Amino acid sequence: MNILVIDDAKLNLLAVQNIVAEYKIECNLILVNSPEEGLKKIESEKIDIILLDIVMPNLSGIDVLKMVRDKHKNIVIIMFTSLTDKKYLKESFDLGANDYINKPIEPIEFISRLKSAIKLREYQCELIESYDNIKNINVELKESNAKLQITQIELINREKLSTIGRFSAGIAHEINTPLGYSISNLYSINKYFSILKENYERINAIIQNNYNNIKDTKYLEELYENKNKIEFIFKDFDTLIKESNEGLNKISYIIKNLIRFTNKKMYDSFQLNYLKEIVEETIILIDSELEYNKFKDIATIDYEIEEESYIKCNRFDIEQVIFNIIMNAIDFFNKSDEKVKILVESCKDEKWSYFSISDNGPGIDENMKDKVFEPFFTTKEIGKGLGLGLSACYDIIVNKYKGEIHVENLPVGGCKFSIKIPN
């Protein structure tokens, strides 16, 4: 307990020193005989209690009291007074003094008031310590709550994926069989069509070569009339077969993705994955989400992925990171009439795999850039978002993969999320 005594009368300082020693008060007693020196001690040392004389040269005790209370709210201050005019004492209490001691100093009164001040200061210190502990506990609880929220979201997403996976597996199985024979039948139709076309051309050539030998002109006119119809059918048939092939191949591609999507091992373990496939699957999920929420035409998502861009990862983790960042950009654009353009790019070296996601928006406020990965930070309206999407990305990339994730504003406009994870 550090007790500072400020009094220009050396006899008073000596009296305080003797009384404290006589009553064996355990404290560090600091004695100064000028207010200026006292103010220096307050700034240079941790002071718990101040015993302050009201009447002093240059600076009065009232002046010192004002200065101390402007900066230090918790120091216990006891005023020395020998004045009969109570207005100075009242002013002292108005400015934040805790108690007073009459001069000349009477030992019993002095020691009683000093002990009360010491107890008050001890209670203050305990209260401050409790408050700091509660603040620390509150911070820890917020962090734990954020982690729980992220874990909960991951569990919900995994459960959704599991349910979707089982549902998709059934759909994929049901579609795969008719799809197989449809593709096979279309191949046969195309083959038969080629044979028919070839024979038609041969017959047409025979008719042309023997035109002068055919006497039935009415029959020839019918042939030529039908010839035009048949040629139109052949021409249209080419287009129909081509479009049907493209459609069936697209369905086949989606089915393959669904089957891969239902492979639980891809989501529960680290494997070497082709980043292009992860990006394509994520875009399919985003397109479905946008179509469901009637925002189908709000976004254009392109990607430039290196052909040999394989990364060792948990497939679900990287899909979640890409999904969250892209949807975060799209959610922001919902506030405007502009169309969001998003580009996913990748590259790698011997140690790291890099990929980035950039958009054409207005960018991120410089004051907010350091906060975007904090749990519960969001610029959305209350009830529109929890502020955990980018925090989950940070947790996956930095904590789980020991990688890095950064966001920057682009000179041409928009912002760019850059991610790197070890190979």
Side-chain angles (χ1 to χ4, degrees):
M1 188 74 65
N2 292 327
I3 300 175
L4 174 65
V5 185
I6 306 173
D7 197 318
D8 62 320
K10 291 185 178 179
L11 285 176
N12 286 334
L13 295 177
L14 186 60
V16 170
Q17 189 176 32
N18 291 336
I19 295 170
V20 169
E22 180 183 350
Y23 283 87
K24 298 178 180 178
I25 302 295
E26 292 184 7
C27 66
N28 176 34
L29 199 61
I30 304 168
L31 306 173
V32 297
N33 61 0
S34 75
E36 292 82 6
E37 189 180 352
L39 289 170
K40 288 180 182 177
K41 290 288 183 184
I42 292 167
E43 295 306 318
S44 63
E45 300 185 33
K46 182 181 179 295
I47 303 299
D48 296 293
I49 298 172
I50 300 174
L51 303 177
L52 179 61
D53 189 19
I54 289 180
V55 180
M56 291 185 291
N58 299 327
L59 287 173
S60 70
I62 300 293
D63 294 328
V64 174
L65 177 61
K66 286 179 184 177
M67 295 178 187
V68 173
R69 277 293 177 249
D70 283 342
K71 293 183 179 180
H72 308 280
K73 304 298 183 185
N74 295 322
I75 295 177
V76 177
I77 302 176
I78 302 174
M79 307 301 292
F80 280 135
T81 177
S82 58
L83 301 174
T84 55
D85 190 348
K86 299 297 183 183
K87 71 174 185 177
Y88 292 106
L89 196 57
K90 179 181 182 302
E91 187 178 0
S92 296
F93 282 113
D94 289 343
L95 291 171
N98 299 94
D99 205 348
Y100 73 96
I101 295 174
N102 288 306
K103 289 199 301 183
I105 297 172
E106 198 281 315
I108 299 297
E109 180 195 11
F110 175 85
I111 211 68
S112 297
R113 293 186 183 276
L114 182 60
K115 283 182 177 179
S116 296
I118 290 171
K119 276 193 174 180
L120 175 62
R121 183 58 181 159
E122 286 174 347
Y123 290 149
Q124 279 185 348
C125 291
E126 288 176 6
L127 189 61
I128 291 168
E129 185 180 354
S130 298
Y131 176 73
D132 289 340
N133 288 337
I134 290 171
K135 276 178 68 178
N136 292 333
I137 291 169
N138 190 41
V139 169
E140 290 174 3
L141 284 172
K142 281 186 175 180
E143 290 175 354
S144 298
N145 189 39
K147 288 178 180 177
L148 283 172
Q149 291 271 14
I150 291 169
T151 303
Q152 183 183 30
I153 288 172
E154 287 180 356
L155 289 173
I156 290 170
N157 285 342
R158 283 180 179 271
E159 183 58 31
K160 283 181 179 177
L161 286 171
S162 178
T163 304
I164 293 170
R166 290 193 297 271
F167 181 66
S168 301
I171 292 175
H173 177 73
E174 291 298 322
I175 295 176
N176 220 22
T177 302
L179 177 66
Y181 62 69
S182 294
I183 291 174
S184 177
N185 290 350
L186 193 61
Y187 174 79
S188 298
I189 289 170
N190 192 38
K191 190 175 179 181
Y192 296 157
F193 168 74
S194 298
I195 295 169
L196 284 173
K197 189 176 181 182
E198 183 183 343
N199 281 281
Y200 168 76
E201 289 171 351
R202 284 179 180 178
I203 292 169
N204 191 47
I206 292 170
I207 292 172
Q208 291 289 343
N209 293 333
N210 294 278
Y211 181 80
N212 295 326
N213 298 326
I214 297 173
K215 296 179 179 179
D216 191 346
T217 57
K218 185 179 179 182
Y219 176 68
L220 282 177
E221 288 173 0
E222 289 178 359
L223 279 177
Y224 272 106
E225 188 178 338
N226 290 332
K227 176 176 175 282
N228 293 332
K229 292 179 182 178
I230 293 170
E231 284 179 351
F232 173 79
I233 291 170
F234 279 141
K235 185 178 179 181
D236 196 39
F237 218 84
D238 274 330
T239 304
L240 292 174
I241 290 174
K242 183 181 177 182
E243 288 178 353
S244 298
N245 266 319
E246 288 175 356
L248 289 172
N249 286 330
K250 189 173 182 179
I251 294 170
S252 177
Y253 173 77
I254 293 170
I255 294 300
K256 286 176 183 176
N257 279 336
L258 281 173
I259 292 169
R260 185 165 55 242
F261 178 75
T262 60
N263 185 355
K264 192 179 178 184
K265 289 181 181 178
M266 289 186 175
Y267 295 90
D268 291 338
S269 62
F270 279 64
Q271 295 180 346
L272 200 62
N273 290 286
Y274 188 22
L275 183 58
K276 186 178 180 182
E277 286 182 354
I278 293 176
V279 172
E280 287 174 344
E281 287 175 13
T282 308
I283 291 172
I284 289 172
L285 291 174
I286 291 171
D287 285 342
S288 299
E289 182 86 5
L290 295 178
E291 190 167 2
Y292 178 78
N293 290 295
K294 298 180 180 178
F295 293 128
K296 182 68 176 173
D297 298 326
I298 197 174
T300 301
I301 307 171
D302 294 318
Y303 55 88
E304 295 176 5
I305 308 296
E306 287 188 347
E307 287 303 319
E308 298 301 318
S309 190
Y310 287 87
I311 57 174
K312 191 173 184 181
C313 66
N314 177 306
R315 197 179 191 93
F316 171 75
D317 288 339
I318 304 304
E319 283 184 3
Q320 187 179 0
V321 169
I322 297 171
F323 183 91
N324 286 353
I325 292 175
I326 292 177
M327 288 305 297
N328 195 67
I330 292 171
D331 284 342
F332 182 82
F333 267 81
N334 283 346
K335 301 174 185 176
S336 68
D337 296 328
E338 296 181 59
K339 187 169 185 177
V340 57
K341 295 179 181 178
I342 293 168
L343 177 64
V344 184
E345 299 174 282
S346 80
C347 62
K348 66 184 302 183
D349 56 30
E350 292 181 358
K351 293 184 178 179
W352 299 92
S353 291
Y354 306 87
F355 59 99
S356 65
I357 302 165
S358 54
D359 64 55
N360 63 324
I364 297 173
D365 190 324
E366 290 295 330
N367 297 323
M368 296 181 181
K369 274 173 61 179
D370 295 333
K371 298 179 181 179
V372 294
F373 297 114
E374 292 179 5
F376 305 113
F377 176 79
T378 179
T379 57
K380 297 177 185 177
E381 298 174 11
I382 295 173
K384 297 292 184 181
L386 294 174
L388 291 173
L390 294 180
S391 175
C393 296
Y394 183 91
D395 185 60
I396 289 169
I397 298 300
V398 176
N399 298 328
K400 188 171 181 179
Y401 284 78
K402 308 304 178 189
E404 296 178 13
I405 180 169
H406 305 283
V407 61
E408 62 180 323
N409 287 320
L410 299 172
V412 295
C415 72
K416 179 179 182 180
F417 285 84
S418 299
I419 298 156
K420 71 175 189 177
I421 58 175
N423 291 333

